[in-house]
Amino acid sequence: MRQQGDQQTISRITTGMPVIDADGVEVGTVDLVQRGDPNAVTVQTPTADPGSSLDELIESTAVREPDVPADLAARLMHGGYLKVSTELAGTGAVYVPADWIGAVTDGRVRLDVPAADLPAEE
């Protein structure tokens, strides 16, 4: 089962590891490792007035991971993902679904896709 293999692979990844895409291009370094949760529920951030308290304001502006559209966020949360700090995206980070990780060897994460296919943080 691919899902189980993806979780075993992602469990060997730690923050700071370099990430190499399918073309051998260094994408960046792992900033966040999130194992998949088949029972994950995604919640949309309310767009209403956050209220008047400082705590409510801070919570309303806090970045929730993964910072991508809801459909992609649900896929990432269910299957697991990496957040990679990179200069290749204008936002400074991209996400790697667990099933796009080809291998973890020599302290590096090797992807099955080119960097251009990786969804950028919003």
Side-chain angles (χ1 to χ4, degrees):
M1 181 179 201
R2 175 84 177 160
Q3 174 84 15
Q4 185 175 2
D6 294 340
Q7 297 309 306
Q8 290 173 348
T9 299
I10 207 168
S11 69
R12 297 177 33 223
I13 299 171
T14 58
T15 57
M17 291 178 94
V19 178
I20 312 299
D21 79 355
D23 299 324
V25 175
E26 185 158 341
V27 177
T29 57
V30 175
D31 189 41
L32 173 70
V33 179
Q34 182 63 54
R35 293 186 66 152
D37 178 359
N39 299 316
V41 176
T42 57
V43 177
Q44 290 293 79
T45 305
T47 56
D49 177 14
S52 59
S53 81
L54 182 57
D55 289 340
E56 288 173 332
L57 179 60
I58 291 169
E59 185 174 321
S60 73
T61 58
V63 175
R64 301 196 195 303
E65 293 291 349
D67 188 12
V68 294
D71 57 336
L72 178 56
R75 177 178 174 226
L76 293 174
M77 290 174 66
H78 285 271
Y81 64 91
L82 304 177
K83 181 176 181 181
V84 179
S85 297
T86 181
E87 294 180 4
L88 302 178
T91 57
V94 293
Y95 292 93
V96 178
D99 58 354
W100 290 6
I101 300 167
V104 180
T105 56
D106 302 324
R108 295 174 170 261
V109 179
R110 299 192 183 276
L111 307 180
D112 287 338
V113 299
D117 290 354
L118 300 173
E121 179 177 48
E122 292 195 332

